[in-house]
Amino acid sequence: MNLQLILESEIKKAIQNLYGATLNEVEFQATRKDFEGDITVVIFPMLRVVKGNPVSIGEAIGAYLVENVAEVLKFNVVKGFLNLVLSDRYYLDFFGSVSDFSNFGKMPQGEDAMMVEYSSPNTNKPLHLGHIRNILLGYSVAEIVKASGKKVYKTQIINDRGIHICKSMVAWSTFGNGETPETTGLKGDKLVGNYYVKFDKVYKKQIAELKEAGKSEEEAKAEAPILQEAQQMLLKWEAGDAEIVALWKKMNGWVYTGFEKTYEALGVDFDTLYYESDTYLLGKEFVAEGLQTGVFFKKEDGSVWCDLTNEGLDEKIVLRSDGTAVYMTQDIGTAIQRVKDHPDVSGMIYTVGNEQDYHFKVLFLILKKLGFNWAKNLFHLSYGMVDLPSGKMKSREGTVVDADDLIEDMTATAKKISEELGKIDAFSEEEKDELYHTIGSGALKYYILKVDPKKRILFNPEESVDFQGNTGPFIQYTYARIQSILRKANENAELGNIDIDTLKNVSLHLKEKEVLKILQQYPEVIQLAATNYSPALIANYTYDLVKEFNSFYQNVPILAADTISEKQFRIQLAKAVSDVIKSAFSLMGITVPERM
């Protein structure tokens, strides 16, 4: 039985026996570092049912627990806080009860499935730093939710149609001279992105010329020939013009090949893909149904709306007067289609920037009004922007930080720092390259994921690859150090499993106990991170574990322990820590090196 449940039951009995009162719940918290104890009982809420001095009440409950709960060794009371010290035996029994720490904390897959949407790029430009936060966040949340015991489908909707795509197509048709990724040596997404930037430059030039000829700003923007050409191309695409559709397929094909390479470098994947060109007509049938049931209403011009004023929002258009759909319509249709395609899905997580907060409030409300039961389990994983020391990024002007370039830069930075540390001379060139990528990508992912999703990030590449402090490389280095200890122990045949009973008369070192205490929290942290959709909880837990292990490593001899049983226990404790580091990092999509 869970110790906290045992303690809660016994504390309620203590209140009944000592004061003749009934306590409904007990509040626990972690004991502050500056006090002795492993778990703290908060006395103040009890004063609603027990009258008296909180210190005296705490003393009485503490004495009762020492007498009646074998795991409680001693206690102290600080003001209204009862700090309980748990026995070494309790922690050793916990350690002995886990046969394999590599799977510790992960729950078996249940029947419930969640769908997690992330990435969802436009096909007119390569992925950039903003996409990286989206992708890493969505992928990590999917892995965490899966570890918490749910089935997960990873998906994205690719924005492969619309005026932005036609802008790249027009620019390539006009200025491209038939060049391809093969003839230029460029990744396909970069090549297409270059023409999106080219379009913008030509468009701005044409606006300036029209303004010089006497047109207003508004007229010039609307009448620029290159924009009109893109608008005509969009109409032709929608009409199914064979030549335009063939060009659209060719250029999008280049982009998809480029995206795949970036996803591979980031180590992320998807289970199912949706394309806006397939989904942009979805949703209309549900608007028609909603009109019948009163969810929507029609205005005089024939447009269809949803009135959300009673929910504190406004009226939202779902069908234009000419009968064409808006984004909201297709998002309604796409959500419904996904559940049709995956009937076991009971909820969805949308990883989209915080500029779309209002859109998703409206979408979720409309789906609830339409009567879909799963709509109550929809969540917008909203996140803040990523800034650089140099400022904001702009796609049209070509001032974005390209995802591929950033990954390469991170790898190069990892190489520079690793070479300065000078500990990898014995590595082959192939091993060095793999290590640089592992450190570089780990630094990038950890730096982004350790921040609460809602907060804005100022991304500093140099800071992220520091081998000290709350960084990916610092944690990776600790993992590699433990592997070195395990290799030495293996060479001396000292890695055997420890029989916890042989340690029953040995007192745990305070540092050992602190490591065990944090290890024990891992299953709860996974569940908490899954509930809050926050990889930051996993990242910062891992950092706390590593800090505690390093303190243990510096203060307690492992391979030079006094007795065989102590040595074996400490080796196994180190192994457990490395297993949990590897497990936690896998939930963030980060790999760990065996040597550094």
Side-chain angles (χ1 to χ4, degrees), residues 7 19 27 48 50 58 118 122 139 141 158 168 177 191 233 236 239 261 314 316 339 409 463 475 546:
L7 289 172
Y19 302 101
E27 186 181 327
R48 288 193 287 267
V50 180
Y118 55 95
N122 293 333
Y139 177 84
V141 165
I158 298 164
S168 295
N177 298 316
L191 180 66
M233 189 176 272
K236 285 181 180 178
K261 288 179 182 170
D314 57 11
K316 182 69 185 178
V339 178
D409 288 349
E463 194 178 280
I475 295 168
V546 163

Side-chain angles (χ1 to χ4, degrees), residues 117-372:
E117 176 191 295
Y118 55 95
S119 189
S120 300
N122 293 333
T123 56
N124 63 321
K125 57 194 174 188
L127 301 168
H128 56 62
L129 178 55
H131 290 118
I132 283 182
R133 185 175 198 189
N134 180 304
I135 292 163
L136 298 181
L137 193 52
Y139 177 84
S140 180
V141 165
E143 292 297 313
I144 291 166
V145 170
K146 195 191 297 179
S148 76
K150 286 190 170 69
K151 187 177 181 181
V152 171
Y153 297 106
K154 302 169 189 168
T155 192
Q156 61 173 323
I157 182 157
I158 298 164
N159 302 301
D160 63 342
R161 63 171 287 277
I163 192 67
H164 54 286
I165 310 298
C166 291
K167 287 176 180 179
S168 295
M169 288 163 63
V170 163
W172 182 85
S173 301
T174 310
F175 306 106
N177 298 316
E179 68 178 20
T180 67
E182 290 73 28
T183 62
T184 59
L186 285 174
K187 274 175 83 239
D189 51 338
K190 284 197 174 56
L191 180 66
V192 172
N194 287 346
Y195 284 102
Y196 184 64
V197 173
K198 176 71 174 173
F199 176 95
D200 192 60
K201 285 178 180 169
V202 173
Y203 181 46
K204 282 180 176 167
K205 187 177 175 210
Q206 289 180 353
I207 291 169
E209 288 167 354
L210 287 166
K211 282 168 71 178
E212 276 180 31
K215 298 282 184 183
S216 70
E217 175 93 17
E218 201 172 307
E219 286 171 333
K221 283 181 175 177
E223 293 174 24
I226 198 166
L227 177 65
Q228 291 186 337
E229 200 179 335
Q231 289 167 338
Q232 284 300 311
M233 189 176 272
L234 180 58
L235 290 172
K236 285 181 180 178
W237 180 89
E238 288 177 349
D241 181 285
E243 191 180 332
I244 298 301
V245 169
L247 175 62
W248 170 78
K249 284 182 177 174
K250 177 165 73 173
M251 292 182 71
N252 275 349
W254 294 343
V255 173
Y256 300 145
T257 303
F259 284 171
E260 278 305 313
K261 288 179 182 170
T262 308
Y263 292 143
E264 190 180 337
L266 282 172
V268 302
D269 59 0
F270 301 91
D271 300 305
T272 180
L273 304 178
Y274 288 85
Y275 297 88
E276 195 187 326
S277 54
D278 295 327
T279 64
Y280 81 107
L281 297 175
L282 292 177
K284 286 188 177 184
E285 62 187 286
F286 298 101
V287 172
E289 282 179 25
L291 271 169
Q292 300 262 312
T293 56
V295 173
F296 304 120
F297 69 93
K298 194 174 274 192
K299 290 195 174 180
E300 286 178 12
D301 64 356
S303 60
V304 180
W305 297 70
C306 187
D307 185 0
L308 300 170
T309 50
N310 286 342
E311 284 83 3
L313 305 177
D314 57 11
E315 293 180 347
K316 182 69 185 178
I317 189 168
V318 291
L319 219 57
R320 296 187 187 97
S321 56
D322 62 3
T324 56
V326 293
Y327 268 114
M328 185 61 69
T329 325
Q330 74 185 55
D331 277 356
I332 291 164
T334 303
I336 296 163
Q337 187 61 46
R338 284 172 170 171
V339 178
K340 282 182 182 174
D341 294 341
H342 305 85
D344 52 348
V345 164
S346 60
M348 288 179 236
I349 300 163
Y350 293 81
T351 314
V352 183
N354 56 15
E355 70 279 2
Q356 294 292 331
D357 283 354
Y358 185 79
H359 175 85
F360 284 101
K361 276 182 192 169
V362 172
L363 174 64
F364 298 167
L365 259 175
I366 290 175
L367 286 164
K368 279 179 192 169
K369 284 176 177 288
L370 286 170
F372 294 104

Side-chain angles (χ1 to χ4, degrees), residues 399-569:
T399 58
V400 299
V401 177
D402 182 275
D404 300 310
D405 293 344
L406 180 60
I407 294 165
E408 281 183 25
D409 288 349
M410 295 297 294
T411 302
T413 305
K415 178 180 180 180
K416 177 174 167 283
I417 292 172
S418 298
E419 285 177 343
E420 285 171 2
L421 291 172
K423 294 186 176 182
I424 54 169
D425 295 340
F427 284 37
S428 69
E429 288 307 311
E430 191 180 334
E431 286 172 328
K432 285 179 184 177
D433 287 344
E434 187 181 339
L435 179 64
Y436 302 148
H437 179 73
T438 298
I439 295 170
S441 66
L444 170 65
K445 292 176 182 183
Y446 187 84
Y447 196 90
I448 284 175
L449 292 174
K450 74 177 180 179
V451 179
D452 182 277
K454 293 182 186 66
K455 292 182 180 173
R456 206 164 177 143
I457 293 178
L458 181 66
F459 181 71
N460 185 326
E462 287 284 341
E463 194 178 280
S464 72
V465 189
D466 194 343
F467 278 72
Q468 297 296 322
N470 190 4
T471 67
F474 171 67
I475 295 168
Q476 288 172 321
Y477 184 72
T478 301
Y479 177 86
R481 170 187 276 167
I482 295 172
Q483 300 320 297
S484 175
I485 294 167
L486 298 181
R487 281 193 294 274
K488 285 176 188 167
N490 217 10
E491 286 166 14
N492 300 323
E494 295 169 332
L495 199 54
N497 286 329
I498 179 69
D499 178 0
I500 297 300
D501 285 332
T502 63
L503 290 171
K504 64 173 64 171
N505 297 319
V506 175
S507 293
L508 281 175
H509 190 286
L510 180 62
K511 297 294 180 184
E512 291 172 325
K513 192 173 179 180
E514 289 301 321
V515 172
L516 285 167
K517 200 189 296 186
I518 295 181
L519 275 178
Q520 194 183 34
Q521 294 165 10
Y522 186 50
E524 187 183 339
V525 171
I526 290 176
Q527 293 300 324
L528 200 59
T531 302
N532 290 281
Y533 307 120
S534 177
L537 296 174
I538 299 286
N540 291 299
Y541 164 82
T542 313
Y543 178 55
D544 288 343
L545 175 63
V546 163
K547 272 196 305 184
E548 207 56 66
F549 174 81
N550 281 323
S551 180
F552 158 69
Y553 175 77
Q554 286 156 14
N555 288 282
V556 182
I558 298 176
L559 298 178
D562 293 337
T563 66
I564 292 293
S565 57
E566 279 182 324
K567 185 190 294 187
Q568 285 189 323
F569 169 66

